[in-house]
Amino acid sequence: MMKESFKKTLVFGSSLVATVFGVALAQYVWTPPKADLSTVAAELKKQLPMMVDQYTMLINAEFKSGVFTYVYSTSIEKDIFTARRVNLKDHLLKGACQDKFATSLMNDYKVPVEYRYLDSKKEIVGSFQVRKSDCKPLWEEQWKEKQN
């Protein structure tokens, strides 16, 4: 039982990176800079739902109160999600900071990107918000590596 839970968590954690890159779908509906983000989210919603991996489905995208939010449904139980939250956030942060669309939202529009996960009952099991300031240390590290 514990081994199966760990396996699900490992697959889910790895899939978070894929989730962020799966959001590259948004690049297909990306419009020129300074587009109305509510319109961008509405266009993305037309493509949904979209399976990201065997445990995760992108079910909604929205722009409200200055935050661009991706909403996913997951079959991972809340206690497992919560127990692995720190590791999951690290994976998600790295992926978001490398995603062209998410970085454009943070840099060009100055808005954070939220990743919200719901269980089968539509209850929130986890939510992560990524801001430009979260990505800055990663971007600086990447820049330094390119200089060497």
Side-chain angles (χ1 to χ4, degrees):
M1 180 73 164
M2 181 65 157
K3 189 174 186 178
E4 180 62 28
S5 290
F6 182 74
K7 182 179 176 185
K8 277 186 175 182
T9 303
L10 184 61
V11 170
F12 182 71
S14 299
S15 71
L16 282 177
V17 174
T19 298
V20 172
F21 292 112
V23 170
L25 168 66
Q27 293 175 4
Y28 292 112
V29 297
W30 182 242
T31 54
K34 301 304 176 191
D36 174 39
L37 293 180
S38 296
T39 302
V40 173
E43 287 297 315
L44 177 57
K45 283 165 85 166
K46 292 177 184 178
Q47 314 271 334
L48 304 178
M50 180 179 72
M51 287 301 294
V52 176
D53 60 41
Q54 69 189 71
Y55 302 110
T56 314
M57 180 185 297
L58 180 59
I59 59 171
N60 195 17
E62 60 189 25
F63 180 68
K64 289 184 183 176
S65 303
V67 178
F68 198 93
T69 304
Y70 295 104
V71 182
Y72 299 91
S73 64
T74 182
S75 61
I76 304 295
E77 297 90 17
K78 186 173 185 170
D79 58 338
I80 294 172
F81 192 97
T82 302
R84 306 279 187 237
R85 191 173 200 283
V86 172
N87 292 335
L88 298 175
K89 186 172 182 180
D90 289 343
H91 285 291
L92 182 61
L93 178 65
K94 187 173 183 179
C97 295
Q98 294 174 345
D99 181 72
K100 183 178 177 181
F101 183 69
T103 57
S104 177
L105 289 169
M106 290 181 278
N107 288 318
D108 300 334
Y109 289 87
K110 312 285 188 255
V111 299
V113 181
E114 180 180 0
Y115 301 88
R116 186 179 313 145
Y117 295 87
L118 309 176
D119 64 14
S120 60
K121 298 173 190 169
K122 303 292 184 211
E123 294 179 10
I124 296 175
V125 294
S127 181
F128 305 100
Q129 199 171 92
V130 181
R131 302 176 187 286
K132 181 179 179 178
S133 59
D134 297 323
C135 292
K136 193 173 180 180
L138 292 171
W139 293 334
E140 288 173 350
E141 183 180 312
Q142 289 171 351
W143 184 80
K144 286 178 185 176
E145 287 175 5
K146 287 180 182 179
Q147 298 303 312
N148 292 332

